[in-house]
Amino acid sequence: MYTTPIRKGRNPIEHQKRSSQGRRAMEELSELERVRREKMQAIREAGMPPFPHRTHRTHTTQQAIAAFEEAGEDEQIMVAIAGRLRSIRKMGKSTFAHVEDEHGKLQIYLRLDELDEDRMKLFNEYVDLGDFVQAEGTMMRTRSGEITLKIADFSMLAKAITPLPAIKEEVVDGETVVHHAFRDPEARYRQRYVDLAVNEEVREIFRSRARIVTAIREFLDERGFLEVETPILQPIYGGAAARPFTTHHNQLHQDLYLRISFELYLKRLLVGGFERVYEIGRDFRNEGVSYKHNPEFTQIEYYIAYADYNDVMELTEQMVGFIAQQTTGSSKIEYQGQRIDLSPPWKRIQLREALMEFADVDIQDHPTVDSLRKLMLERGHEPRQGSSRGQLIESLLVNYVEPKTIQPCFLYDYPRDISPLAKSKVGDPQTVERFEGFVAGFELCNAFTELNDPFDQEQRFLEMGRDYDVEDEECHPMDEDYLQALRYGLPPCGGFGMGVDRLVMLLTDQANIREVILYPHLRSRE
RNA sequence: GCGCCGUUAGCUCAAUUGGCAGAGCAGGGGCCUUUUAAGCCCAAGGUUACAGGUUCGAUUCCUGUACGGCGCACCA
């Protein structure tokens, strides 16, 4: 919203002068901002710097309250707190306000008898909602019972030049009711700092998110997994079916892709001798956005040697149950009004059976694309031209089965042609050992017994349209180095990937992925 | 990418078949020494997202643009 682009050829100092006097000149400021700038000047002239360098804080608001409660009502407890003013009630010769720091609020009480008259005037005339202040005094309890800091002195820590949205809170039967909130989603995402500053429940979502990521690490670290980091800038992208973002390295004259998954780099590490590895990081997919898709999103992938997709299923239900327990206190949660029990074991259904039950189709009766397409057309679907049999099956899964999967479940045994990195089932080359976990009507994770046969893998790549002849720009190149790695020997292994943002949605009861990403992608406003 | 809906004061929202654009909170000036959605009095605050069109007259009707929300599509 407030950017000062530096133009080529302009002296930066000259530019700074111009920007401070230019567009945001006093006459163009809103009344609210003009008044605050004048107050800033006035407080400076009164000898109180509006942006001082040092803070004196002895207690957080919560520590101050705890100290008062421990010491007893008659004890004179001196504290100095720091935080942002979130409410002010002026009553002539006394003033009440709330100071908020990261973990709570404390009421402060300024009273002419206790405070120098000039100081009192300074507060009442020049201090605003949103300012950061430090305040020191003694703890007390008001007539209405609220633990309060009676102020002997205060000073400004950072003057707020732009006013925060006015939020009022009322406590009714122990519940906090918020009046006049800051709710416009666009404004909230574009100025997340304002959203966080005034909406405590938003801060809480991101605390939960941090706990969830910590719990993932705790679960895997305890089981001997090694956390690693692999390239985000990749010359050949792979590991998922998604369009990539492209970029370019100027000095190396090299086109690069932002990764769409970690898979191929992580499995190379198993070739190298690590047996259990994982990565938590960002993937980038150049596709549509929706309530469950952001162009960049956080993924957890792990690979475990000497294991197959059955082992991974067990680990998955244990992991998700553990994370829920650690972060919400229970493996039974409520999501968008539905009660969901994440405790293991989760229901397991073969994909074929699920389609029989929910879509009334036995895919074994339709071994060809044409046969399945004909059936879907009869049912009123219009599959996209050129869809493979596997893609048709996936479309049935997405439309009929996924919305029904409220309680957690695993669908397993997927079509080969949509799973080029998964190992075939013994005796059934058209089906692979792959599963997806579903909860609350959306896909949470995807996993399989990894394909470690270099000859089969090369064949799969060729079927996916990869080519050794990369002279054609349109042609997706063969990942020869990955095949080379497999030729050195990849131990039998299981692999797993899960969208962390979706897990956070589930565990914080949020219906939109943008609510769990601090800075979700939005179009620029020009 | 397609469809539907939305955009009014710093924030949250009004505006009666098309007839001077309003309120609460915040902000400004007063009163008020235990308030807590503090209260009372006064004054102020707007290119109704943007650009066109229809009309004597448009926040309201039409077209387009931008951004957003929801749904669909896309998403090994």
Side-chain angles (χ1 to χ4, degrees), chain A residues 52-58 80-83 133-135 155-158:
Chain A
H53 290 69
R54 314 281 174 242
T55 303
H56 172 61
R57 168 157 87 163
T58 61
I81 61 162
V133 296
Q134 63 183 24
S155 58
M156 183 66 71
L157 288 177

Side-chain angles (χ1 to χ4, degrees), chain A residues 120-395:
Chain A
M120 188 75 186
K121 191 180 164 195
L122 215 54
F123 190 94
N124 281 336
E125 293 190 5
Y126 304 129
V127 175
D128 289 300
L129 284 178
D131 292 351
F132 282 93
V133 296
Q134 63 183 24
E136 56 185 271
T138 52
M139 299 300 293
M140 57 165 280
R141 192 186 289 273
T142 63
R143 193 176 291 162
S144 56
E146 180 164 351
I147 296 173
T148 297
L149 177 59
K150 190 160 62 183
I151 297 306
D153 197 10
F154 82 95
S155 58
M156 183 66 71
L157 288 177
K159 180 73 188 161
I161 300 302
T162 307
L164 287 171
I167 305 281
K168 295 226 165 186
E169 288 173 359
E170 181 186 14
V171 178
V172 180
D173 303 329
E175 296 277 306
T176 302
V177 182
V178 176
H179 301 272
H180 311 293
F182 181 59
R183 284 281 159 254
D184 177 48
E186 183 174 356
R188 288 180 48 232
Y189 303 146
R190 285 193 196 280
Q191 292 186 276
R192 184 67 99 173
Y193 39 89
V194 177
D195 187 28
L196 292 165
V198 302
N199 293 322
E200 160 61 25
E201 71 279 11
V202 175
R203 292 203 290 276
E204 193 50 42
I205 288 170
F206 292 100
R207 290 190 192 109
S208 296
R209 182 175 177 127
R211 285 198 298 272
I212 287 163
V213 173
T214 299
I216 295 171
R217 290 206 164 91
E218 192 180 334
F219 183 88
L220 293 172
D221 291 348
E222 273 175 5
R223 285 162 181 76
F225 282 82
L226 181 73
E227 181 171 8
V228 299
E229 292 173 278
T230 64
I232 291 172
L233 294 175
Q234 303 183 346
I236 301 175
Y237 64 93
R243 300 225 307 269
F245 288 93
T246 59
T247 186
H248 184 78
H249 192 295
N250 291 340
Q251 295 237 314
L252 301 180
H253 306 295
Q254 185 181 20
D255 287 329
L256 291 164
Y257 302 97
L258 301 189
R259 67 180 172 195
I260 57 171
S261 87
F262 323 151
E263 172 146 6
L264 301 179
Y265 283 95
L266 289 177
K267 282 193 281 192
R268 283 174 170 102
L269 299 178
L270 269 59
V271 172
F274 293 119
E275 294 184 1
R276 298 177 173 207
V277 296
Y278 74 97
E279 179 165 7
I280 297 172
R282 213 72 62 85
D283 273 343
F284 307 84
R285 297 189 182 176
N286 205 339
E287 285 159 2
V289 298
S290 79
Y291 72 94
K292 53 181 176 180
H293 297 267
N294 194 60
E296 54 181 294
F297 63 99
T298 300
Q299 177 100 312
I300 155 74
E301 285 189 28
Y302 70 70
Y303 293 84
I304 176 168
Y306 314 117
D308 63 18
Y309 75 148
N310 293 304
D311 302 311
V312 174
M313 260 185 249
E314 269 182 49
L315 213 47
T316 301
E317 60 199 6
Q318 283 169 24
M319 180 165 86
V320 174
F322 171 81
I323 296 164
Q325 183 74 44
Q326 290 290 299
T327 58
T328 71
S330 169
S331 52
K332 295 182 176 64
I333 60 161
E334 187 170 314
Y335 183 73
Q336 303 295 298
Q338 298 157 326
R339 283 162 189 253
I340 293 173
D341 185 355
L342 296 169
S343 349
W346 294 3
K347 196 173 164 190
R348 289 156 163 72
I349 322 173
Q350 208 167 32
L351 177 56
R352 180 188 160 208
E353 288 169 14
L355 289 169
M356 286 195 278
E357 184 176 343
F358 296 104
D360 195 27
V361 177
D362 185 351
I363 53 177
Q364 249 174 35
D365 294 343
H366 302 277
T368 64
V369 195
D370 292 342
S371 161
L372 193 55
R373 168 178 282 275
K374 193 174 158 222
L375 177 85
M376 287 174 74
L377 285 169
E378 283 166 13
R379 299 262 182 104
H381 292 273
E382 223 168 297
R384 285 183 2 125
Q385 285 299 320
S387 295
S388 67
R389 176 170 175 272
Q391 285 169 329
L392 295 182
I393 291 171
E394 188 170 45
S395 147

Side-chain angles (χ1 to χ4, degrees), chain A residues 420-438:
Chain A
L421 299 161
K423 202 165 188 166
S424 296
K425 281 183 77 72
V426 177
D428 181 3
Q430 289 312 307
T431 305
V432 296
E433 293 191 354
R434 172 181 171 194
F435 74 84
E436 291 185 305
F438 293 86

